[in-house]
Amino acid sequence: MAIGIDPTVDFACKRLLGSPDHPAITLHFLNAVLGGEPPITTVQILNPIIGKSFDDDKASILDVLATDDHGRFIDIEIQTTLPAGLSERLTYYAASQLVEQLGEGDSYRELRPSIGICILDAIRFRESSALHLDFQLRSPSGELLTDCLQIHLLELPKYDPDADNGVIAAPILQWIHFFRFAATSSAEDLRQQLPDPVFFEAVGVLEMIARNPEEKRFYESRLKMQRDEKARLEAAEERGEAIGRVRVLQSLAGVAESTIEDLRMRSSEELAAMEVALKHQLRERS
């Protein structure tokens, strides 16, 4: 029987990676993403999700903010859509986290790395086959200026599991597989493919959400919000494409092109009618 709880829902993700009750899960995830060099042995969650620290406020911040035993500041977030300006926002957050470390008179030498990790259930870099993209300040020939600013993207849809459903060895692939397939897998299947004890614990967190009525209710609320946002973005993308088609058809038909602002004021039905009329006009002309 499938677990039925999707770890890409922000609430479930924070239950996994942002709870002081499950530090081993957070440690394993961070070492997998950051390569374990140097290895992280302790982590402190700066905005833990505990007890009744969640509610139905749509403005709830469900990123995970943490610091490790090397003094690095880490922000972990989940994104199930590809909103405009995502790259810039991730850069802004990481840069802000870096700048906020210093007070007046502090030395730049006191700066510790600021790291942003985005688990992305979408594809931002289609030209790259990499599942894990590691952005740092480097020259074109590869020289690293500093590790003080890092952004890591895990692009989940690029992952193609082996057909044999065997044991997954690489830690980073273990986590990508978990986020991609935990909701539709049984606990037993996950434990066979991900035998590291930390995933036994992670599976238990998802099962706990499924069993707890209050947490399941909040999970369902966040799931609905994410689905509504995805639908909104898809509708906006469809409208943008419709506007583009109308302007191209107007150009081909030799009629004055409407401004983008004018077309944005029209309903989807009006855009569709304009498109049909312009196509009919072009067919008659030919």
Side-chain angles (χ1 to χ4, degrees):
M1 181 177 176
I3 295 174
I5 298 295
D6 188 347
T8 66
V9 174
D10 55 7
F11 173 71
C13 183
K14 189 160 186 179
R15 270 295 186 216
L16 286 162
L17 301 177
S19 171
D21 296 329
H22 305 285
I25 299 177
T26 312
L27 283 172
H28 190 279
F29 174 79
L30 291 178
N31 278 312
V33 174
L34 303 180
E37 293 294 337
I40 303 172
T41 58
T42 61
V43 63
Q44 178 185 0
I45 306 299
L46 301 178
N47 61 338
I49 184 166
I50 52 177
K52 297 184 180 297
S53 63
F54 54 90
D55 54 37
D56 285 324
D57 180 4
K58 292 187 177 182
S60 295
I61 303 300
L62 292 182
D63 288 9
V64 176
L65 303 178
T67 183
D68 67 9
D69 49 327
H70 306 289
R72 299 180 294 188
F73 291 88
I74 304 165
D75 175 82
I76 307 168
E77 68 170 86
I78 191 91
Q79 278 286 342
T80 56
T81 60
L82 193 60
L86 175 65
S87 299
E88 291 77 10
R89 184 174 62 77
L90 292 173
T91 304
Y92 176 81
Y93 283 171
S96 297
Q97 195 168 242
L98 183 68
V99 171
E100 289 169 359
Q101 295 178 39
L102 293 186
E104 185 175 354
D106 291 341
S107 170
Y108 293 119
R109 294 179 180 178
E110 297 177 24
L111 283 174
R112 307 307 304 155
S114 172
I115 302 170
I117 300 174
C118 180
I119 305 163
L120 182 61
D121 196 15
I123 299 178
R124 169 66 178 83
F125 295 93
R126 296 189 178 277
E127 69 280 6
S128 171
S129 62
L131 304 174
H132 173 205
L133 296 107
D134 176 4
F135 298 96
Q136 299 192 41
L137 297 176
R138 296 182 183 274
S139 71
S141 54
E143 291 85 3
L144 179 66
L145 175 65
T146 175
D147 66 352
C148 275
L149 195 62
Q150 304 177 34
I151 297 173
H152 296 259
L153 281 184
L154 304 182
E155 295 191 325
L156 303 183
K158 290 180 178 178
Y159 175 65
D160 187 16
D162 292 336
D164 62 3
N165 294 322
V167 173
I168 301 168
I172 190 68
L173 292 183
Q174 292 173 345
W175 277 105
I176 291 174
H177 183 93
F178 182 83
F179 276 105
R180 280 278 280 160
F181 297 111
T184 56
S185 299
S186 69
E188 183 58 31
D189 286 342
L190 287 174
R191 288 168 181 143
Q192 287 180 358
Q193 292 181 274
L194 309 171
D196 190 299
V198 76
F199 289 102
F200 286 55
E201 187 174 351
V203 167
V205 172
L206 298 186
E207 291 177 322
M208 179 271 295
I209 295 173
R211 290 192 303 267
N212 185 303
E214 186 175 13
E215 297 214 347
K216 182 70 178 298
R217 176 187 61 80
F218 192 78
Y219 164 85
E220 295 288 354
S221 172
R222 301 298 297 197
L223 175 61
K224 181 180 183 301
M225 286 172 56
Q226 289 183 196
R227 286 175 173 170
D228 289 348
E229 174 64 11
K230 185 176 182 178
R232 186 189 68 78
L233 290 175
E234 288 174 349
E237 184 177 350
E238 289 173 2
R239 278 186 58 80
E241 292 173 353
I243 288 171
R245 289 195 301 270
V246 167
R247 284 172 58 85
V248 168
L249 289 169
Q250 287 176 331
S251 177
L252 292 173
V255 302
E257 289 186 32
S258 302
T259 66
I260 293 176
E261 289 73 18
D262 175 60
L263 293 175
R264 282 176 176 165
M265 297 295 293
R266 296 179 180 269
S267 68
S268 297
E269 291 75 16
E270 289 175 314
L271 291 173
M274 290 176 70
E275 189 174 344
V276 169
L278 288 164
K279 287 180 178 178
H280 179 71
Q281 185 176 341
L282 286 169
R283 282 196 299 269
E284 286 189 333
R285 179 177 299 178
S286 62

